[in-house]
Amino acid sequence: MAVLKRQKRGGSNRSVLPGFGVGMGVTVFYMSLIVLVPMSALLLNQTGLTWEKFWSVAADPRVLASYRVSLTTAALAAFADTVLGLLLAWVLVRYDFPGKKLWDALIDLPFALPTAVAGVALTAIYSANGWIGSLLEPLGIKAAFSPLGITLALMFIGIPFVVRTVQPVLEDAERDTEEAAATLGAGRWRTFRTIILPTLIPPLLTGFALAFARGIGEYGSVVFISGNMPMKTEIAPLLIMSKLEQFDYAGATAVALLLLLISFVLLLGINILQHWTRKTAR
């Protein structure tokens, strides 16, 4: 009480955290050191990359095919993770069952597990002689060494982003509105569609964007299960590594710059859509 009175008499609203000047300075320094400087180095590095070289690499059919594989599989995996992540978050928040804490902890396993280990494990499971692959093979479904296998690997590493983004929103959601809707005769589906889903769209979009961004640049968990077949299952990060191993630094920089540009444009569009959704929901 004495502290509050002193603050009121002084006319200031001091907080434990530093003020705007110090906080903004630390934020800019951190972002510059971790993000802006490496990105600037990528843009300004002197590797002999000219506009002619850049466009020749960008228009190469093998490069375009790798972009198509990376973007398509990342988008499909992020969409699947959005649906499954919503279902998992709903079960973990709304229901109590034996082993709930264990299942909740397993959601974060892809964060702790090395991506190369995940890639080897997924390849062993979904290959033609694996546990699941042997069941899919008679049905004519080839999981490993195909775009389907890449999508499965990206789903594995992207699911925590959606669950951990949606779960806090569901935990903080008030049940009074849902109970009022049920009292007025609304069914479960209508209550979910008109009351719950609008509040979940922003976190779902955020989870989708995070899973999609992670999937575009993923390398370790995909390099084994993809098969690395040029024009078919070769991903863009693998193509960058191949050019670096061939000492083609200009070509690797061109592929990385174009991938960075595509990712930035797509994520910017998703963030604009997310901002518009939040604005219209108010």
Side-chain angles (χ1 to χ4, degrees):
M1 293 298 293
V3 175
L4 292 176
K5 290 180 180 179
R6 286 198 299 269
Q7 288 183 354
K8 290 181 179 179
R9 286 198 299 267
S12 61
N13 185 20
R14 302 178 64 183
S15 62
V16 177
L17 296 177
F20 174 77
V22 177
M24 190 63 180
V26 173
T27 302
V28 171
F29 174 77
Y30 174 80
M31 291 297 295
S32 299
L33 186 65
I34 303 299
V35 179
L36 297 180
V37 172
M39 292 298 98
S40 300
L42 179 62
L43 293 171
L44 301 176
N45 75 80
Q46 301 297 322
T47 57
L49 180 63
T50 61
W51 282 109
E52 292 77 9
K53 174 68 173 178
F54 176 80
W55 290 115
S56 65
V57 173
D60 183 73
R62 183 178 177 182
V63 174
L64 294 177
S66 68
Y67 285 142
R68 183 179 67 253
V69 172
S70 294
L71 295 175
T72 303
T73 54
L76 291 175
F79 179 78
D81 283 338
T82 302
V83 178
L84 296 176
L86 173 59
L87 180 60
L88 286 173
W90 182 275
V91 171
L92 290 174
V93 172
R94 295 298 180 99
Y95 301 102
D96 292 323
F97 52 90
K100 178 179 177 179
K101 295 294 184 181
L102 176 61
W103 286 106
D104 192 25
L106 287 176
I107 296 295
D108 296 325
L109 182 62
F111 287 151
L113 190 68
T115 55
V117 175
V120 173
L122 291 172
T123 304
I125 292 173
Y126 287 102
S127 61
N129 56 351
W131 295 345
I132 301 178
S134 60
L135 301 176
L136 297 178
E137 192 72 17
L139 301 176
I141 302 175
K142 183 179 181 181
F145 315 123
S146 69
L148 176 60
I150 300 175
T151 304
L152 292 172
L154 297 182
M155 287 174 60
F156 173 78
I157 58 99
I159 192 67
F161 292 101
V162 181
V163 176
R164 296 311 183 202
T165 305
V166 175
Q167 193 173 5
V169 179
L170 281 175
E171 291 175 347
D172 295 337
E174 298 181 358
R175 304 287 185 90
D176 296 342
T177 309
E178 300 177 36
E179 294 175 358
T183 303
L184 295 174
R188 291 185 178 182
W189 169 244
R190 186 176 182 182
T191 301
F192 175 80
R193 180 171 51 88
T194 59
I195 296 176
I196 302 175
L197 186 59
T199 62
L200 295 180
I201 288 179
L204 284 174
L205 288 175
T206 301
F208 176 88
L210 292 174
F212 180 68
R214 174 66 188 273
I216 291 177
E218 178 61 23
Y219 175 78
S221 62
V222 178
V223 66
F224 296 102
I225 199 171
S226 66
N228 308 322
M229 292 180 287
M231 307 297 293
K232 293 182 179 180
T233 62
E234 187 178 44
I235 58 174
L238 176 63
L239 189 57
I240 295 173
M241 292 298 300
S242 299
K243 290 185 177 296
L244 289 176
E245 292 174 353
Q246 299 170 4
F247 302 101
D248 184 8
Y249 299 116
T253 303
V255 176
L257 283 176
L258 191 56
L259 186 63
L260 176 64
L261 179 61
I262 295 173
S263 304
F264 177 78
V265 171
L266 291 174
L267 291 177
L268 179 62
I270 292 174
N271 280 275
I272 292 175
L273 178 61
Q274 180 185 7
H275 176 74
W276 175 82
T277 304
R278 286 178 175 174
K279 186 176 180 180
T280 55
R282 292 176 181 174

